[in-house]
Amino acid sequence: MKKEEIKLTDIQRILFGETPAAFMLEVFIRTIIIYLALLLVLKLLGKRMTGQLTIAEMAVMITMGAIVAVPMQIPDRGIVQGIIILLLAVAFLRGLNYLSYRNHEAEDVIQGKVNLLVRDGIIDLPTLQKMNISRQQLFSKLRNQKIFNLGQVDRVYLEACGLFSVYEHQGKRAGLSLYPLNDLRLSDTQYNDGDYACCSCGKLSNTQQDPCAECGATEFMQAII
């Protein structure tokens, strides 16, 4: 529309746009129909769509959001067209899931891979960087499970759906403190004499003078147990 047609006092245009007021009732009816169709589609997609989503599932969810907007709001677009596209999205995702089931290589491409972030109390820094995860993000996940020492961890996996799976070490083992730096007083009585942990990857050493044998970092702190 032309700029001279834009007026702050034009309440009709601001509230309803240029469509007739009667279209508001039609929008209400369209929204109900599309909403019911979307519920049916989500039911067909299965319970996975209400849990943590894989890359393929997230792409389909975003696509569905774009699909349902048009038939609800634009008067010259029919509802049937949107419903057909929704059903095609269901068929597409089910086809991808079937292909993933039949072919492991396709599954890795479509669903994503599981990544190992921590092995035996040592952080895999290249994988952490590749996944765009900071050490503090990892530490917060571990602290949330009441783990305050990296030595308590045998494995941490980043699942294809984005969840962290943590497997704790059975028994006591010294490691890098996961307490926030401004709260180290909590671990004052838990220092393990003679062991130093690399502040970068968590690998233990009996000296602070040499670079870390795992990542080459030179900053160490006393390990806790």
PDB file of all heavy atoms in Angstrom, residues 50-74:
ATOM      1  N   THR A  50       6.863 -35.653  20.272  1.00  0.00           N
ATOM      2  CA  THR A  50       6.633 -34.907  21.500  1.00  0.00           C
ATOM      3  C   THR A  50       7.811 -35.039  22.456  1.00  0.00           C
ATOM      4  O   THR A  50       7.759 -34.524  23.573  1.00  0.00           O
ATOM      5  CB  THR A  50       5.356 -35.397  22.202  1.00  0.00           C
ATOM      6  OG1 THR A  50       5.480 -36.797  22.485  1.00  0.00           O
ATOM      7  CG2 THR A  50       4.133 -35.170  21.326  1.00  0.00           C
ATOM      8  N   GLY A  51       8.875 -35.736  22.023  1.00  0.00           N
ATOM      9  CA  GLY A  51      10.076 -35.867  22.835  1.00  0.00           C
ATOM     10  C   GLY A  51      11.205 -35.039  22.246  1.00  0.00           C
ATOM     11  O   GLY A  51      10.989 -34.057  21.546  1.00  0.00           O
ATOM     12  N   GLN A  52      12.454 -35.431  22.570  1.00  0.00           N
ATOM     13  CA  GLN A  52      13.601 -34.758  21.992  1.00  0.00           C
ATOM     14  C   GLN A  52      13.705 -35.135  20.523  1.00  0.00           C
ATOM     15  O   GLN A  52      13.715 -36.312  20.165  1.00  0.00           O
ATOM     16  CB  GLN A  52      14.879 -35.168  22.739  1.00  0.00           C
ATOM     17  CG  GLN A  52      14.918 -34.701  24.179  1.00  0.00           C
ATOM     18  CD  GLN A  52      15.062 -33.201  24.282  1.00  0.00           C
ATOM     19  OE1 GLN A  52      15.730 -32.576  23.474  1.00  0.00           O
ATOM     20  NE2 GLN A  52      14.430 -32.619  25.295  1.00  0.00           N
ATOM     21  N   LEU A  53      13.821 -34.136  19.650  1.00  0.00           N
ATOM     22  CA  LEU A  53      13.744 -34.374  18.219  1.00  0.00           C
ATOM     23  C   LEU A  53      15.122 -34.566  17.610  1.00  0.00           C
ATOM     24  O   LEU A  53      16.100 -33.950  18.027  1.00  0.00           O
ATOM     25  CB  LEU A  53      13.047 -33.199  17.523  1.00  0.00           C
ATOM     26  CG  LEU A  53      11.644 -32.837  18.017  1.00  0.00           C
ATOM     27  CD1 LEU A  53      11.096 -31.671  17.222  1.00  0.00           C
ATOM     28  CD2 LEU A  53      10.718 -34.027  17.938  1.00  0.00           C
ATOM     29  N   THR A  54      15.188 -35.425  16.590  1.00  0.00           N
ATOM     30  CA  THR A  54      16.396 -35.550  15.795  1.00  0.00           C
ATOM     31  C   THR A  54      16.417 -34.427  14.756  1.00  0.00           C
ATOM     32  O   THR A  54      15.468 -33.645  14.631  1.00  0.00           O
ATOM     33  CB  THR A  54      16.453 -36.912  15.080  1.00  0.00           C
ATOM     34  OG1 THR A  54      15.344 -36.986  14.168  1.00  0.00           O
ATOM     35  CG2 THR A  54      16.347 -38.055  16.076  1.00  0.00           C
ATOM     36  N   ILE A  55      17.499 -34.371  13.974  1.00  0.00           N
ATOM     37  CA  ILE A  55      17.629 -33.318  12.965  1.00  0.00           C
ATOM     38  C   ILE A  55      16.496 -33.406  11.948  1.00  0.00           C
ATOM     39  O   ILE A  55      15.868 -32.394  11.601  1.00  0.00           O
ATOM     40  CB  ILE A  55      18.994 -33.448  12.249  1.00  0.00           C
ATOM     41  CG1 ILE A  55      20.129 -33.210  13.248  1.00  0.00           C
ATOM     42  CG2 ILE A  55      19.092 -32.458  11.092  1.00  0.00           C
ATOM     43  CD1 ILE A  55      21.495 -33.478  12.685  1.00  0.00           C
ATOM     44  N   ALA A  56      16.208 -34.612  11.468  1.00  0.00           N
ATOM     45  CA  ALA A  56      15.155 -34.787  10.456  1.00  0.00           C
ATOM     46  C   ALA A  56      13.792 -34.405  11.012  1.00  0.00           C
ATOM     47  O   ALA A  56      12.979 -33.757  10.337  1.00  0.00           O
ATOM     48  CB  ALA A  56      15.150 -36.232   9.958  1.00  0.00           C
ATOM     49  N   GLU A  57      13.522 -34.798  12.259  1.00  0.00           N
ATOM     50  CA  GLU A  57      12.233 -34.483  12.875  1.00  0.00           C
ATOM     51  C   GLU A  57      12.076 -32.990  13.112  1.00  0.00           C
ATOM     52  O   GLU A  57      10.992 -32.426  12.928  1.00  0.00           O
ATOM     53  CB  GLU A  57      12.094 -35.258  14.185  1.00  0.00           C
ATOM     54  CG  GLU A  57      11.928 -36.761  13.970  1.00  0.00           C
ATOM     55  CD  GLU A  57      12.191 -37.564  15.229  1.00  0.00           C
ATOM     56  OE1 GLU A  57      12.752 -37.009  16.190  1.00  0.00           O
ATOM     57  OE2 GLU A  57      11.841 -38.756  15.244  1.00  0.00           O
ATOM     58  N   MET A  58      13.163 -32.340  13.522  1.00  0.00           N
ATOM     59  CA  MET A  58      13.109 -30.894  13.715  1.00  0.00           C
ATOM     60  C   MET A  58      12.827 -30.176  12.398  1.00  0.00           C
ATOM     61  O   MET A  58      12.042 -29.217  12.353  1.00  0.00           O
ATOM     62  CB  MET A  58      14.436 -30.403  14.301  1.00  0.00           C
ATOM     63  CG  MET A  58      14.494 -28.901  14.521  1.00  0.00           C
ATOM     64  SD  MET A  58      13.319 -28.323  15.775  1.00  0.00           S
ATOM     65  CE  MET A  58      14.141 -28.900  17.257  1.00  0.00           C
ATOM     66  N   ALA A  59      13.456 -30.646  11.306  1.00  0.00           N
ATOM     67  CA  ALA A  59      13.219 -30.040   9.994  1.00  0.00           C
ATOM     68  C   ALA A  59      11.759 -30.176   9.579  1.00  0.00           C
ATOM     69  O   ALA A  59      11.158 -29.227   9.043  1.00  0.00           O
ATOM     70  CB  ALA A  59      14.131 -30.690   8.950  1.00  0.00           C
ATOM     71  N   VAL A  60      11.157 -31.343   9.845  1.00  0.00           N
ATOM     72  CA  VAL A  60       9.751 -31.553   9.502  1.00  0.00           C
ATOM     73  C   VAL A  60       8.848 -30.670  10.360  1.00  0.00           C
ATOM     74  O   VAL A  60       7.871 -30.098   9.869  1.00  0.00           O
ATOM     75  CB  VAL A  60       9.374 -33.041   9.672  1.00  0.00           C
ATOM     76  CG1 VAL A  60       7.868 -33.236   9.574  1.00  0.00           C
ATOM     77  CG2 VAL A  60      10.074 -33.884   8.609  1.00  0.00           C
ATOM     78  N   MET A  61       9.165 -30.525  11.652  1.00  0.00           N
ATOM     79  CA  MET A  61       8.360 -29.673  12.523  1.00  0.00           C
ATOM     80  C   MET A  61       8.371 -28.229  12.054  1.00  0.00           C
ATOM     81  O   MET A  61       7.336 -27.549  12.029  1.00  0.00           O
ATOM     82  CB  MET A  61       8.880 -29.765  13.964  1.00  0.00           C
ATOM     83  CG  MET A  61       8.548 -31.060  14.665  1.00  0.00           C
ATOM     84  SD  MET A  61       6.783 -31.270  14.992  1.00  0.00           S
ATOM     85  CE  MET A  61       6.559 -30.111  16.337  1.00  0.00           C
ATOM     86  N   ILE A  62       9.553 -27.730  11.667  1.00  0.00           N
ATOM     87  CA  ILE A  62       9.647 -26.357  11.167  1.00  0.00           C
ATOM     88  C   ILE A  62       8.856 -26.214   9.870  1.00  0.00           C
ATOM     89  O   ILE A  62       8.150 -25.216   9.652  1.00  0.00           O
ATOM     90  CB  ILE A  62      11.119 -25.964  10.953  1.00  0.00           C
ATOM     91  CG1 ILE A  62      11.848 -25.926  12.306  1.00  0.00           C
ATOM     92  CG2 ILE A  62      11.230 -24.609  10.259  1.00  0.00           C
ATOM     93  CD1 ILE A  62      13.333 -25.727  12.187  1.00  0.00           C
ATOM     94  N   THR A  63       8.950 -27.230   9.002  1.00  0.00           N
ATOM     95  CA  THR A  63       8.205 -27.210   7.736  1.00  0.00           C
ATOM     96  C   THR A  63       6.704 -27.178   7.996  1.00  0.00           C
ATOM     97  O   THR A  63       5.960 -26.437   7.324  1.00  0.00           O
ATOM     98  CB  THR A  63       8.559 -28.448   6.896  1.00  0.00           C
ATOM     99  OG1 THR A  63       9.978 -28.462   6.654  1.00  0.00           O
ATOM    100  CG2 THR A  63       7.836 -28.431   5.556  1.00  0.00           C
ATOM    101  N   MET A  64       6.248 -27.954   8.965  1.00  0.00           N
ATOM    102  CA  MET A  64       4.815 -27.988   9.268  1.00  0.00           C
ATOM    103  C   MET A  64       4.327 -26.637   9.772  1.00  0.00           C
ATOM    104  O   MET A  64       3.208 -26.211   9.486  1.00  0.00           O
ATOM    105  CB  MET A  64       4.511 -29.086  10.291  1.00  0.00           C
ATOM    106  CG  MET A  64       4.622 -30.485   9.719  1.00  0.00           C
ATOM    107  SD  MET A  64       3.822 -31.750  10.751  1.00  0.00           S
ATOM    108  CE  MET A  64       4.705 -31.533  12.287  1.00  0.00           C
ATOM    109  N   GLY A  65       5.185 -25.938  10.543  1.00  0.00           N
ATOM    110  CA  GLY A  65       4.811 -24.610  11.007  1.00  0.00           C
ATOM    111  C   GLY A  65       4.570 -23.652   9.858  1.00  0.00           C
ATOM    112  O   GLY A  65       3.637 -22.840   9.875  1.00  0.00           O
ATOM    113  N   ALA A  66       5.429 -23.757   8.829  1.00  0.00           N
ATOM    114  CA  ALA A  66       5.254 -22.907   7.653  1.00  0.00           C
ATOM    115  C   ALA A  66       4.031 -23.328   6.831  1.00  0.00           C
ATOM    116  O   ALA A  66       3.334 -22.484   6.253  1.00  0.00           O
ATOM    117  CB  ALA A  66       6.509 -22.966   6.786  1.00  0.00           C
ATOM    118  N   ILE A  67       3.743 -24.632   6.812  1.00  0.00           N
ATOM    119  CA  ILE A  67       2.618 -25.145   6.027  1.00  0.00           C
ATOM    120  C   ILE A  67       1.285 -24.643   6.567  1.00  0.00           C
ATOM    121  O   ILE A  67       0.424 -24.185   5.822  1.00  0.00           O
ATOM    122  CB  ILE A  67       2.643 -26.693   6.006  1.00  0.00           C
ATOM    123  CG1 ILE A  67       3.836 -27.201   5.188  1.00  0.00           C
ATOM    124  CG2 ILE A  67       1.338 -27.249   5.423  1.00  0.00           C
ATOM    125  CD1 ILE A  67       4.069 -28.691   5.319  1.00  0.00           C
ATOM    126  N   VAL A  68       1.098 -24.721   7.892  1.00  0.00           N
ATOM    127  CA  VAL A  68      -0.216 -24.428   8.466  1.00  0.00           C
ATOM    128  C   VAL A  68      -0.524 -22.938   8.499  1.00  0.00           C
ATOM    129  O   VAL A  68      -1.697 -22.546   8.592  1.00  0.00           O
ATOM    130  CB  VAL A  68      -0.343 -25.014   9.890  1.00  0.00           C
ATOM    131  CG1 VAL A  68      -0.166 -26.517   9.865  1.00  0.00           C
ATOM    132  CG2 VAL A  68       0.656 -24.367  10.852  1.00  0.00           C
ATOM    133  N   ALA A  69       0.509 -22.086   8.429  1.00  0.00           N
ATOM    134  CA  ALA A  69       0.263 -20.641   8.529  1.00  0.00           C
ATOM    135  C   ALA A  69      -0.524 -20.108   7.333  1.00  0.00           C
ATOM    136  O   ALA A  69      -1.428 -19.286   7.480  1.00  0.00           O
ATOM    137  CB  ALA A  69       1.587 -19.896   8.665  1.00  0.00           C
ATOM    138  N   VAL A  70      -0.187 -20.591   6.134  1.00  0.00           N
ATOM    139  CA  VAL A  70      -0.798 -20.050   4.914  1.00  0.00           C
ATOM    140  C   VAL A  70      -2.299 -20.324   4.827  1.00  0.00           C
ATOM    141  O   VAL A  70      -3.092 -19.392   4.650  1.00  0.00           O
ATOM    142  CB  VAL A  70      -0.060 -20.576   3.668  1.00  0.00           C
ATOM    143  CG1 VAL A  70      -0.785 -20.144   2.398  1.00  0.00           C
ATOM    144  CG2 VAL A  70       1.377 -20.055   3.663  1.00  0.00           C
ATOM    145  N   PRO A  71      -2.757 -21.585   4.928  1.00  0.00           N
ATOM    146  CA  PRO A  71      -4.203 -21.825   4.801  1.00  0.00           C
ATOM    147  C   PRO A  71      -5.040 -21.224   5.927  1.00  0.00           C
ATOM    148  O   PRO A  71      -6.245 -21.052   5.776  1.00  0.00           O
ATOM    149  CB  PRO A  71      -4.315 -23.359   4.798  1.00  0.00           C
ATOM    150  CG  PRO A  71      -3.074 -23.842   5.431  1.00  0.00           C
ATOM    151  CD  PRO A  71      -2.023 -22.852   5.087  1.00  0.00           C
ATOM    152  N   MET A  72      -4.422 -20.866   7.054  1.00  0.00           N
ATOM    153  CA  MET A  72      -5.183 -20.255   8.138  1.00  0.00           C
ATOM    154  C   MET A  72      -5.397 -18.759   7.910  1.00  0.00           C
ATOM    155  O   MET A  72      -6.390 -18.201   8.347  1.00  0.00           O
ATOM    156  CB  MET A  72      -4.464 -20.465   9.477  1.00  0.00           C
ATOM    157  CG  MET A  72      -4.601 -21.853  10.053  1.00  0.00           C
ATOM    158  SD  MET A  72      -4.063 -21.970  11.793  1.00  0.00           S
ATOM    159  CE  MET A  72      -2.346 -21.543  11.660  1.00  0.00           C
ATOM    160  N   GLN A  73      -4.467 -18.097   7.211  1.00  0.00           N
ATOM    161  CA  GLN A  73      -4.472 -16.641   7.187  1.00  0.00           C
ATOM    162  C   GLN A  73      -4.767 -16.018   5.830  1.00  0.00           C
ATOM    163  O   GLN A  73      -5.223 -14.876   5.768  1.00  0.00           O
ATOM    164  CB  GLN A  73      -3.106 -16.115   7.663  1.00  0.00           C
ATOM    165  CG  GLN A  73      -2.741 -16.576   9.066  1.00  0.00           C
ATOM    166  CD  GLN A  73      -1.346 -16.135   9.459  1.00  0.00           C
ATOM    167  OE1 GLN A  73      -0.829 -15.142   8.955  1.00  0.00           O
ATOM    168  NE2 GLN A  73      -0.724 -16.875  10.350  1.00  0.00           N
ATOM    169  N   ILE A  74      -4.486 -16.728   4.743  1.00  0.00           N
ATOM    170  CA  ILE A  74      -4.612 -16.122   3.415  1.00  0.00           C
ATOM    171  C   ILE A  74      -5.925 -16.565   2.776  1.00  0.00           C
ATOM    172  O   ILE A  74      -6.152 -17.764   2.564  1.00  0.00           O
ATOM    173  CB  ILE A  74      -3.411 -16.507   2.523  1.00  0.00           C
ATOM    174  CG1 ILE A  74      -2.114 -16.013   3.187  1.00  0.00           C
ATOM    175  CG2 ILE A  74      -3.562 -15.914   1.130  1.00  0.00           C
ATOM    176  CD1 ILE A  74      -0.868 -16.324   2.420  1.00  0.00           C
TER     177      ILE A  74
END
